[in-house]
Coordinates of all heavy atoms in Angstrom, one line a residue:
Y169 N -13.0 2.9 4.2 CA -12.1 3.9 4.7 C -12.8 5.1 5.2 O -13.9 5.5 4.7 CB -11.2 4.3 3.5 CG -10.2 3.2 3.1 CD1 -10.6 2.4 2.0 CD2 -9.1 2.9 3.7 CE1 -9.7 1.4 1.5 CE2 -8.2 1.9 3.4 CZ -8.6 1.1 2.3 OH -7.7 0.1 1.8
N170 N -12.3 5.8 6.1 CA -12.8 7.0 6.7 C -12.9 8.1 5.6 O -13.8 9.0 5.7 CB -12.2 7.4 7.9 CG -12.4 6.5 9.1 OD1 -13.4 6.0 9.3 ND2 -11.3 6.3 9.8
N171 N -11.9 8.1 4.8 CA -11.8 9.2 3.8 C -10.9 8.7 2.6 O -10.3 7.7 2.7 CB -11.3 10.5 4.3 CG -10.0 10.3 5.2 OD1 -9.0 9.8 4.6 ND2 -10.0 10.7 6.4
E172 N -10.9 9.5 1.6 CA -10.0 9.1 0.4 C -8.6 9.2 0.7 O -7.8 8.4 0.1 CB -10.4 10.1 -0.8 CG -11.9 10.0 -1.2 CD -12.3 11.1 -2.1 OE1 -11.4 12.0 -2.4 OE2 -13.5 11.2 -2.4
Q173 N -8.2 10.1 1.7 CA -6.8 10.1 2.0 C -6.3 8.8 2.6 O -5.2 8.3 2.2 CB -6.6 11.2 3.0 CG -6.8 12.6 2.5 CD -8.2 13.1 2.6 OE1 -9.1 12.3 2.7 NE2 -8.4 14.4 2.8
E174 N -7.1 8.2 3.4 CA -6.7 6.9 4.0 C -6.6 5.9 2.9 O -5.6 5.0 2.9 CB -7.7 6.4 5.1 CG -7.7 7.3 6.3 CD -8.7 6.7 7.4 OE1 -9.5 5.9 7.0 OE2 -8.6 7.2 8.5
A175 N -7.4 5.9 1.9 CA -7.5 4.9 0.9 C -6.2 5.0 0.0 O -5.5 4.0 -0.4 CB -8.7 5.0 0.0
I176 N -5.8 6.2 -0.3 CA -4.6 6.4 -1.1 C -3.4 6.0 -0.3 O -2.5 5.3 -0.9 CB -4.5 8.0 -1.5 CG1 -5.6 8.4 -2.4 CG2 -3.1 8.2 -2.1 CD1 -5.7 9.8 -2.7
R177 N -3.3 6.3 0.9 CA -2.0 5.9 1.7 C -2.0 4.4 1.8 O -0.9 3.8 1.6 CB -2.1 6.5 3.1 CG -1.9 8.0 3.1 CD -1.5 8.5 4.5 NE -0.2 7.9 4.9 CZ 0.9 8.4 4.6 NH1 1.1 9.5 3.9 NH2 2.0 7.8 5.1
D178 N -3.1 3.8 1.9 CA -3.1 2.3 2.1 C -2.7 1.7 0.8 O -1.8 0.7 0.8 CB -4.6 1.9 2.4 CG -4.6 0.6 3.2 OD1 -3.5 0.2 3.9 OD2 -5.6 -0.2 3.3
V179 N -3.2 2.1 -0.4 CA -2.9 1.5 -1.6 C -1.5 1.7 -2.0 O -0.8 0.8 -2.6 CB -3.9 1.9 -2.7 CG1 -3.5 3.3 -3.3 CG2 -3.9 0.9 -3.9
L180 N -0.9 2.9 -1.6 CA 0.5 3.1 -2.0 C 1.4 2.2 -1.2 O 2.4 1.6 -1.7 CB 0.9 4.6 -1.6 CG 0.3 5.6 -2.6 CD1 0.7 7.0 -2.1 CD2 0.6 5.4 -4.0
R181 N 1.2 2.0 0.1 CA 2.0 1.1 1.0 C 1.9 -0.3 0.6 O 2.8 -1.1 0.5 CB 1.6 1.4 2.5 CG 2.0 2.6 3.1 CD 1.9 2.6 4.6 NE 3.0 1.8 5.2 CZ 3.0 1.4 6.4 NH1 2.0 1.8 7.3 NH2 4.0 0.7 6.9
L182 N 0.6 -0.7 0.3 CA 0.4 -2.1 0.0 C 1.0 -2.5 -1.4 O 1.5 -3.6 -1.5 CB -1.1 -2.4 0.0 CG -1.8 -2.3 1.4 CD1 -3.3 -2.3 1.2 CD2 -1.4 -3.5 2.2
S183 N 0.9 -1.6 -2.3 CA 1.4 -2.0 -3.6 C 2.9 -2.0 -3.6 O 3.6 -2.9 -4.2 CB 1.0 -0.9 -4.7 OG 1.3 0.4 -4.3
R184 N 3.5 -1.1 -2.8 CA 5.0 -1.2 -2.6 C 5.4 -2.5 -2.0 O 6.4 -3.1 -2.4 CB 5.4 0.0 -1.7 CG 7.0 0.0 -1.4 CD 7.2 1.4 -0.8 NE 8.7 1.5 -0.3 CZ 9.1 1.1 0.9 NH1 8.2 0.8 1.8 NH2 10.4 1.2 1.2
G185 N 4.6 -3.0 -1.0 CA 4.9 -4.2 -0.3 C 4.9 -5.4 -1.3 O 5.6 -6.4 -1.2
M186 N 3.9 -5.3 -2.3 CA 3.8 -6.4 -3.2 C 5.0 -6.5 -4.1 O 5.4 -7.6 -4.5 CB 2.5 -6.2 -4.1 CG 1.2 -6.3 -3.3 SD 1.0 -7.9 -2.5 CE 0.9 -9.0 -3.8
T187 N 5.6 -5.4 -4.4 CA 6.9 -5.5 -5.2 C 8.0 -6.3 -4.5 O 8.6 -7.2 -5.0 CB 7.4 -4.1 -5.5 OG1 6.5 -3.4 -6.4 CG2 8.8 -4.1 -6.1
Y188 N 8.1 -6.0 -3.2 CA 9.2 -6.7 -2.4 C 8.8 -8.1 -2.1 O 9.6 -9.0 -2.1 CB 9.4 -5.9 -1.1 CG 10.2 -4.7 -1.3 CD1 9.5 -3.5 -1.6 CD2 11.6 -4.6 -1.1 CE1 10.2 -2.3 -1.8 CE2 12.3 -3.5 -1.3 CZ 11.7 -2.3 -1.6 OH 12.4 -1.2 -1.8
K189 N 7.5 -8.4 -2.0 CA 7.0 -9.7 -1.8 C 7.3 -10.6 -3.0 O 7.8 -11.7 -2.8 CB 5.5 -9.7 -1.5 CG 4.9 -11.1 -1.2 CD 3.4 -11.0 -0.9 CE 3.1 -10.2 0.3 NZ 1.7 -10.2 0.7
A190 N 7.0 -10.1 -4.2 CA 7.3 -10.9 -5.4 C 8.7 -11.1 -5.6 O 9.2 -12.3 -5.9 CB 6.7 -10.2 -6.6
A191 N 9.5 -10.1 -5.3 CA 11.0 -10.2 -5.6 C 11.7 -11.1 -4.6 O 12.4 -12.0 -5.0 CB 11.6 -8.8 -5.4
I192 N 11.3 -11.1 -3.3 CA 12.0 -11.9 -2.4 C 11.5 -13.4 -2.5 O 12.2 -14.3 -2.1 CB 11.7 -11.4 -0.9 CG1 12.7 -12.1 0.1 CG2 10.3 -11.7 -0.5 CD1 14.1 -11.5 -0.1
S193 N 10.3 -13.6 -3.2 CA 9.8 -14.9 -3.3 C 10.2 -15.6 -4.6 O 9.9 -16.7 -4.9 CB 8.2 -14.8 -3.3 OG 7.8 -14.3 -2.1
G194 N 11.1 -14.8 -5.4 CA 11.6 -15.4 -6.6 C 10.6 -15.4 -7.7 O 10.8 -16.2 -8.7

């Protein structure tokens, strides 16, 4: 990552996506 800010934004979006991924997949 170019900086820590990018890393934080990435991990927040990706972790949120995992919640929906697990839920929709049963």
Side-chain angles (χ1 to χ4, degrees):
Y169 295 98
N170 292 319
N171 51 55
E172 295 165 6
Q173 292 91 330
E174 289 183 350
I176 292 174
R177 289 196 64 86
D178 208 22
V179 78
L180 291 180
R181 290 194 71 190
L182 291 168
S183 56
R184 179 172 175 264
M186 293 303 295
T187 293
Y188 285 86
K189 182 181 297 189
I192 198 70
S193 301

